[in-house]
Amino acid sequence: MKNIGIIVGSLREGSFNKAVANYVSEQFPEAYQTTFIDFSKLDIYNQDLDETPPESWVAFRNSVKGLDALLFVTPEYNRSIPGGLKNALDVGSRPYGQSVWGGKPGGVISVSPGAIGGFGANHHLRQVLSFLDVYTLQQPEAYVGHIEGVLDDGGQVVDEHTKQFLDDYAQAFIRWIEKF
């Protein structure tokens, strides 16, 4: 059984990203288990706390350690990733030499109401993941734009073109994971 951690960059209750992540999580075969990793309660990273880390850091790090792969689904905030997501990446990467991220295969999907589908966030996240030694799937790239036309009022992915794209992405991600 492979355990895939899904990290949604948006903390919003009616998050478009969570809707996409939910859809993709259902595309994995039975040999894959998905776990949504919550970072909403993480204390802000401060190196002064590394010797006696807050319980939120310890719990978060432990939730990521045992994962076989990571799938990030994120919005774009000001042409980059949300601050909460960056904090989660920082908390998981420290103290130096004890990162919980390294050596895992990863995937990135960015979601936006805009036309370019969170391109800036997608690439900023890839840059950080590269440094953290997460082997990020390069192709296909996944930018989901005009998201409000993709979901129904209940937050379900209903656009057939987008469903097919996300299905294909999930299959490519599975092939990527299997290489590890």
Side-chain angles (χ1 to χ4, degrees):
M1 176 74 66
K2 299 257 189 207
N3 193 7
I4 312 306
I6 299 178
I7 300 174
V8 178
S10 172
L11 300 177
R12 190 171 66 85
E13 182 70 32
S15 168
F16 300 139
N17 295 268
K18 182 74 177 260
V20 169
N22 283 331
Y23 178 83
V24 174
S25 74
E26 296 168 0
Q27 307 315 305
F28 291 100
E30 285 185 27
Y32 286 79
Q33 174 182 325
T34 58
T35 304
F36 282 80
I37 306 299
D38 181 21
F39 62 84
S40 65
K41 306 284 192 271
L42 277 181
D43 292 286
I44 298 293
Y45 180 73
N46 175 345
Q47 188 174 356
D48 291 342
L49 302 177
D50 275 347
E51 288 187 33
T52 53
E55 180 54 38
S56 67
W57 293 6
V58 173
F60 178 77
R61 290 168 177 162
N62 287 337
S63 70
V64 174
K65 277 182 189 174
L67 298 172
D68 297 303
L70 305 158
L71 177 63
F72 295 86
V73 184
T74 189
E76 180 175 287
Y77 290 1
N78 302 311
R79 296 286 188 248
S80 190
I81 59 176
L85 176 55
K86 179 62 167 79
N87 185 56
L89 293 166
D90 292 344
V91 166
S93 72
R94 306 299 283 189
Y96 182 79
Q98 297 178 37
S99 175
V100 298
W101 306 111
K104 295 179 184 354
V108 176
I109 300 172
S110 54
V111 178
S112 172
I116 60 174
F119 178 87
N122 195 303
H123 283 264
H124 278 191
L125 180 53
R126 288 170 177 276
Q127 182 179 10
V128 174
L129 294 176
S130 174
F131 180 79
L132 296 178
D133 199 28
V134 174
Y135 303 113
T136 308
L137 174 65
Q138 298 301 304
Q139 294 294 326
E141 294 177 307
Y143 315 100
V144 181
H146 301 294
I147 189 65
E148 292 164 311
V150 168
L151 306 174
D152 66 13
D153 292 339
Q156 300 296 310
V157 176
V158 293
D159 177 74
E160 291 302 321
H161 175 74
T162 304
K163 281 183 173 182
Q164 185 61 58
F165 174 75
L166 293 172
D167 293 350
D168 292 346
Y169 183 87
Q171 292 307 308
F173 188 47
I174 291 165
R175 288 190 301 275
W176 182 243
I177 294 166
E178 291 301 320
K179 291 182 179 188
F180 293 85

